[in-house]
Amino acid sequence: MTDSEKIEANVRVRIKKPVGVLTKEDFSKVKQFGIGAFQKYTDISYLANLTELESLTIAANEVKDIKPLAGLTKLKVLYIDRNQIADVKPLAGMTKLESLVLARNQISDLTPLSGLKSLRRLDAAALPKLKEANAMKLKKALSGCVFR
C-alpha cells in the first residue's frame, strides 16, 4: 500500500465513508489529522486535498518534501518534527499558524517563516544545520513568539 493509499484509508475512517469517490466536501470535513510516528512515510502529497485542516501531525517519519502542505493555509498547529525536511519555504504562506514544531530536521534556514505573525510557539530544537545568526533573525522578526 502506498503512502497516499494509507492516508486515504485514514481519511475514509475519519469521515466514515469506506467506499465511493471522495469529494471536496468530504475532504473539507477533516479539521485534524495525524500520521502515526515511525511509519516511514515519505510521500505526503495526498494531504494537499485536506484544505480545511487546522491541525496536522506528521512527526517521526521520513518526509523530505513538504511542498504538498503549502495550500493548507488554515493550519493553526503543525507538528513535522523528526523527519528529513530541509526546506521550510512551503510554510511561508501559513499565516494562521500559531504552533509549529520543526525539531530534529535538516533545516538550515528559518527566514521563510518570518512573515508568520500569528506564530506563538516554535520548536526548532536540534536542527544541526541551522546557524545561530539565522535563528536570531527569525526571533527578531517574530518577537511575540516563544522559541525552543
Side-chain angles (χ1 to χ4, degrees):
M1 192 178 249
T2 68
D3 290 347
S4 289
E5 290 168 335
K6 289 186 265 187
I7 294 170
E8 179 182 331
N10 192 330
V11 168
R12 288 182 176 281
V13 168
R14 284 187 168 274
I15 64 169
K16 297 175 176 52
K17 186 173 181 179
V19 294
V21 175
L22 291 175
T23 65
K24 186 173 182 164
E25 183 179 329
D26 292 327
F27 292 129
S28 72
K29 295 175 184 174
V30 183
K31 305 291 184 197
Q32 298 179 340
F33 195 80
I35 292 176
F38 308 107
Q39 301 299 308
K40 298 188 178 185
Y41 279 77
T42 58
D43 179 12
I44 57 168
S45 58
Y46 195 86
L47 293 174
N49 294 305
L50 306 178
T51 57
E52 299 297 315
L53 274 181
E54 294 177 6
S55 177
L56 176 61
T57 301
I58 315 171
N61 276 280
E62 297 177 3
V63 175
K64 290 181 181 177
D65 181 10
I66 57 171
K67 287 183 197 116
L69 303 183
L72 305 182
T73 56
K74 295 186 179 181
L75 276 176
K76 293 179 181 177
V77 178
L78 179 59
Y79 288 81
I80 51 176
D81 53 306
R82 295 175 289 156
N83 279 284
Q84 298 172 13
I85 299 161
D87 183 11
V88 295
K89 286 183 198 122
L91 307 181
M94 294 185 179
T95 56
K96 294 184 179 178
L97 263 184
E98 296 170 4
S99 181
L100 176 59
V101 179
L102 297 170
R104 297 184 184 161
N105 275 292
Q106 300 303 310
I107 300 162
S108 61
D109 182 12
L110 292 173
T111 56
L113 307 178
S114 61
L116 303 183
K117 302 302 182 189
S118 295
L119 202 59
R120 296 293 163 250
R121 176 180 177 262
L122 174 63
D123 184 344
L127 296 177
K129 296 186 177 185
L130 182 65
K131 303 279 190 268
E132 182 66 25
N134 186 275
M136 294 308 286
K137 277 186 198 175
L138 186 63
K139 286 179 182 180
K140 189 173 183 178
L142 301 176
S143 59
C145 184
V146 174
F147 289 81
R148 176 172 182 264

